[in-house]
Amino acid sequence: LYSAGFWLFLAMLLVVVTLLGGAYPAFVLARVSPIEALRIGRTKVGPRFATTVLVGAQFAAASFLLIVVFVMYAQNRELQRTGLGTDADPLLVIPNFAQYSGVDNKLLEDELRRIPQVTGVTEMSQSPWSSGVGLAPIGRSPDESIVRVTAIMNTVGYDYFDTLGYTMLGGREFDRAHSEDVRPNGPPSGKPINIVIDASLADELGFSPPESAVEKDIYFPSDAQRAFGSVAQPLHVIGVVANKPLRFRSAGAKSNMFFMRPDLPFQVVRLSAADVSGGLAAVDALWKRLSPKVSSGRKFMDELYDENYRNFARVNEVSAALALVAIAISIVGLFSMAVQVATRRLHEIGVRKSVGAHARQIVTLLLAQFSRPVLVANVIAWPLAYVAAQQYLSVFSARIALTPVPFLASLAATIAVACAVVAGQAWRAARVSPATVLRAE
């Protein structure tokens, strides 16, 4: 606001818009024949379709934004439903980077388990709902020509699925009794790595029902491993869990695969709902004892969700505001069109009434004419809105299905607004007295 360049740009924009907006009517009016104008006190200038085209363009923009806002709102509701869940016991996330805190992750995990209010502890490589995402191509066989799917890679600790409330559909989760569950370091090899996948990945790979993927091998294709020797890495599925997204963005991927490694930087603690405050105090006291000079930075899972969701909520609010502005501009344009058309057609309306037309018929005729450009504008906006909505939805890991509802709702809303705006002018024109408009004939 304190930049001179901004205000100069705003002033130039105002001048340019004013000149462009006034140039056409000024040019048309300057060419009006004096005899025509003085003969009946007014004259009809300019093409009749111009107003219709402009109003249609305004409503096309409004319809486009309405559809996008509707899709955004529905997607955000889906994020809230799938993200927050219905778990009774709250989850606490404690970041611990040992090089800064001086606290060993294994020691921290063991001490957390000693707290009476703690009902579960696990660890993750990334904070829940963070923007970072690792993707990998997955195939049913090592053959490079086979169709592949893209999955999100997650590195987790023991008790992850139990602590976070996943539903196990088949097989087992990572177990301390199975040392082979730990993902080995080093380049790809012919030895299978134990993984857990979600139902979405099983479905994409063609396993039906999803639990039938248990004890099957899937692969990182060899061409995706060229940096490590071009060896197709087998992945052995030991369990399948129900879908439970913990990320907003997924770069187009919808499914998840899970590897197990110990000593990860984010501890996830499930606190008993019966004594959350006591559990939180005990966790804070433990951290202060283990690392008195470093703040714990712990946050509830819901807090992390709200922080990252806020960006999407802002986009939704801004889009809704733009849609309202577009509708307001469309209303002004349509009202102007109604006044102009009603004035132009007074002679026609007088003739119709003189041969027996009723006011109700004339109102219906005018409303149909005013609704036609709105209907055409919606049809034009629908393909563009469909593409924009699909692009927006492709960002999310848990996405809604795009149905005809947003498009039909936009059509109904814009038609209703159009009829409400022009109804008064249509009724006023329909009540004109034939003698008033035909007396000079």
Side-chain angles (χ1 to χ4, degrees):
L1 291 180
Y2 297 100
S3 168
F6 168 74
W7 293 104
L8 179 61
F9 167 77
L10 204 61
M12 292 178 62
L13 184 65
L14 180 62
V15 171
V16 170
V17 170
T18 302
L19 290 176
L20 291 178
Y24 176 73
F27 176 75
V28 171
L29 290 174
R31 298 183 61 191
V32 171
S33 168
I35 295 178
E36 273 300 308
L38 295 176
R39 184 171 65 87
I40 56 175
R42 61 176 177 268
T43 187
K44 302 173 184 178
V45 295
R48 293 190 177 189
F49 69 87
T51 305
T52 304
V53 170
L54 292 175
V55 170
Q58 292 168 355
F59 268 95
S63 177
F64 173 86
L65 289 171
L66 279 175
I67 294 170
V68 172
V69 167
F70 189 98
V71 172
M72 285 181 173
Y73 176 78
Q75 177 61 42
N76 289 352
R77 289 290 300 272
E78 177 69 8
L79 291 176
Q80 290 179 315
R81 185 186 69 81
T82 59
L84 295 179
T86 57
D87 297 327
D89 296 336
L91 294 169
L92 189 69
V93 180
I94 307 172
N96 178 40
F97 298 92
Q99 64 270 35
Y100 303 115
S101 66
V103 180
D104 179 72
N105 278 311
K106 183 65 170 62
L107 172 63
L108 177 61
E109 180 182 347
D110 292 342
E111 291 297 319
L112 286 169
R113 293 183 185 278
R114 297 176 186 272
I115 298 175
Q117 295 89 345
V118 172
T119 60
V121 180
T122 188
E123 53 190 350
M124 307 171 62
S125 63
Q126 287 185 299
S127 175
W129 305 114
S130 62
S131 57
V133 59
L135 303 178
I138 304 295
R140 286 283 298 267
S141 81
D143 185 359
E144 296 183 8
S145 63
I146 198 168
V147 176
R148 309 168 191 173
V149 300
T150 301
I152 303 169
M153 296 191 297
N154 303 270
T155 304
V156 301
Y158 291 114
D159 303 320
Y160 174 82
F161 303 103
D162 181 58
T163 302
L164 270 72
Y166 280 81
T167 300
M168 186 65 64
L169 301 179
R172 63 176 179 86
E173 62 178 304
F174 300 118
D175 189 349
R176 292 176 177 83
H178 294 78
S179 60
E180 68 275 15
D181 285 351
V182 178
R183 182 179 183 179
N185 294 316
S189 66
K191 183 179 180 180
I193 299 174
N194 285 356
I195 63 168
V196 174
I197 65 174
D198 63 11
S200 178
L201 180 55
D203 181 65
E204 286 190 289
L205 289 171
F207 294 106
S208 182
E211 53 268 28
S212 65
V214 176
E215 300 301 329
K216 300 293 195 305
D217 286 345
I218 58 179
Y219 296 85
F220 284 142
S222 59
D223 61 338
Q225 308 286 319
R226 284 176 183 156
F228 308 101
S230 296
V231 177
Q233 175 64 60
L235 307 169
H236 185 66
V237 179
I238 63 171
V240 179
V241 295
N243 299 325
K244 187 180 178 71
L246 288 177
R247 286 185 177 86
F248 291 121
R249 299 178 182 272
S250 63
K254 297 186 295 184
S255 51
N256 290 268
M257 59 190 305
F258 302 88
F259 298 90
M260 209 297 296
R261 267 184 183 165
D263 195 23
L264 300 176
F266 291 93
Q267 299 287 328
V268 183
V269 180
R270 180 177 289 277
L271 300 177
S272 172
D275 188 13
V276 175
S277 59
L280 197 60
V283 169
D284 289 341
L286 170 63
W287 182 268
K288 189 173 182 180
R289 176 168 60 85
L290 295 177
S291 183
K293 296 183 179 181
V294 179
S295 174
S296 69
R298 51 87 176 157
K299 290 183 179 180
F300 283 105
M301 183 87 80
D302 289 359
E303 291 181 90
L304 294 172
Y305 176 92
D306 289 337
E307 288 178 3
N308 289 278
Y309 173 79
R310 201 171 297 133
N311 293 329
F312 298 98
R314 287 196 189 102
V315 172
N316 203 9
E317 291 169 0
V318 170
S319 300
L322 289 174
L324 290 176
V325 171
I327 291 173
I329 294 173
S330 302
I331 288 173
V332 173
L334 187 61
F335 185 79
S336 301
M337 174 184 171
V339 172
Q340 182 190 48
V341 171
T343 302
R344 275 182 166 180
R345 300 186 67 174
L346 284 179
H347 183 275
E348 175 194 338
I349 293 170
V351 172
R352 288 179 179 273
K353 294 193 71 174
S354 68
V355 295
H358 298 290
R360 184 179 65 256
Q361 295 173 313
I362 294 175
V363 169
T364 303
L365 176 69
L366 292 176
L367 288 179
Q369 180 184 0
F370 293 136
S371 300
R372 196 174 298 119
V374 179
L375 177 62
V376 174
N378 272 271
V379 173
I380 293 174
W382 284 358
L384 300 176
Y386 178 84
V387 173
Q390 288 286 22
Q391 288 294 320
Y392 180 77
L393 293 176
S394 68
V395 170
F396 301 96
S397 56
R399 65 195 70 165
I400 61 170
L402 189 57
T403 67
V405 173
F407 303 90
L408 297 178
S410 171
L411 175 62
T414 50
I415 290 291
V417 167
C419 291
V421 169
V422 304
Q425 288 298 319
W427 179 248
R428 181 180 177 184
R431 295 183 62 191
V432 68
S433 170
T436 303
V437 296
L438 298 177
R439 61 186 177 183
E441 297 297 324

